[in-house]
Amino acid sequence: MGTRRPSLNALRALEATVRLSSMTAAAEELSVTHGAVSRHIKSLEEMFGIPLVMRGTRSVAATPEGGRLANDLSNAFALIASSVEQLQPGPLTLSCSSTIMMSWVIPRIGAFHELHPEIEVRFNMNYDRIDFVRDEISVAIRNSMIEPPREVIIKDLIDEWIGPVCSPEYAARHFRVPTDLQQCVLLATKTRPGGWADWAKAVGQDVEFQPQKLYDHFYLLIQAAACGLGVGMVPKILVLDDLRSGKLVAPLGFVAGSFKLVLWVAPHLRARAETRALVDWLTKEFRKPGMQGETVEAVPVKLNSRRVGASANRSPAGRDDGASSRPRVANR
């Protein structure tokens, strides 16, 4: 008699459940019911005679045996998908953060379409780690602070320049000299809570900044700064068009920070003509004059206090601007 083999659907159910730590999430990803996932995993446990997952009230955790099997399955499914995609690639997909998509990609992607009208580009909004095969991503714009996936092709784009920005009206009220920063409401993001500390290091100041407002994303912080709610610490690349239009100003200029913008290229799609076209276009666009900081040098800053932000002006009482108040800021 031949050896009994588990079904492919059961193996997929186990892999997804362990990876997502949830049968419900696995069911949604596989477009089946929760009960079907549960039955698949139970059938594997009965076949092997050992438990593969530990079922909790809110989550599922793999046993050592289940974890090893699920990890090997993940690698095997990724290899299958990669091999198939090389023969029949899906649409070209660019991944980047929502803010880069809104502030940089969308205003410029029309130029790519004019050069390559035959190429369809899909978008994936994500600023963290990804699985190129599972998420069907071709190219990703990332900050070098994010750990890249294994075997990814990395291409440097530009150094990241950072600086404080605010509305012209806010600058007129608060920035007669650089030290007036001590009287400003400081804005930061949850995605980069150490932004002000990075800037202080870049300008050579041993200062502890304490932002009063913390926003979920850079696009919210940028809008808050444009509306006169305070001074936001941002990468220049995210506010290029706002600076040119006069919606925002950078009263202290920009300085080179500790990170770079890079491209992650899916290794199995690197030779695809559409991938090469997108990578070449992105590289040229990011390296155009004015994309970094050479046109706006930082103003020398000398602050009188080692602690900035705690006693700065507050938003009007009761004002709901969608931000958390007085966060405890930690380094990344």
Side-chain angles (χ1 to χ4, degrees), residues 183-185 210 212-213 229 309-317 326:
Q183 304 304 318
C184 296
V185 175
Q210 293 189 327
Q212 288 83 40
K213 299 291 183 180
L229 300 184
S311 60
N313 298 331
R314 300 286 190 264
S315 309
R326 302 202 59 190

Side-chain angles (χ1 to χ4, degrees), residues 76-133:
F77 291 146
L79 179 60
I80 293 170
S82 174
S83 298
V84 170
E85 191 169 7
Q86 290 183 55
L87 299 176
Q88 190 180 33
L92 188 68
T93 302
L94 173 64
S95 173
C96 62
S97 70
S98 299
T99 305
I100 288 181
M101 181 64 63
M102 294 168 60
S103 63
W104 195 92
V105 174
I106 289 178
R108 292 165 178 79
I109 196 65
F112 178 80
H113 292 318
E114 290 182 3
L115 289 173
H116 305 282
E118 76 286 0
I119 299 179
E120 175 191 358
V121 182
R122 296 193 311 185
F123 300 124
N124 170 281
M125 261 68 80
N126 187 317
Y127 62 86
D128 208 340
R129 299 197 66 187
I130 51 174
D131 184 309
F132 282 103
V133 175

Side-chain angles (χ1 to χ4, degrees), residues 256-275:
S258 304
F259 305 105
K260 298 177 179 290
L261 279 184
V262 300
L263 287 182
W264 292 351
V265 184
H268 63 290
L269 298 175
R270 62 185 301 184
R272 184 182 175 190
E274 292 88 344
T275 303

Side-chain angles (χ1 to χ4, degrees), residues 310-325:
S311 60
N313 298 331
R314 300 286 190 264
S315 309
R319 186 168 187 171
D320 180 7
D321 53 17
S324 303
S325 296

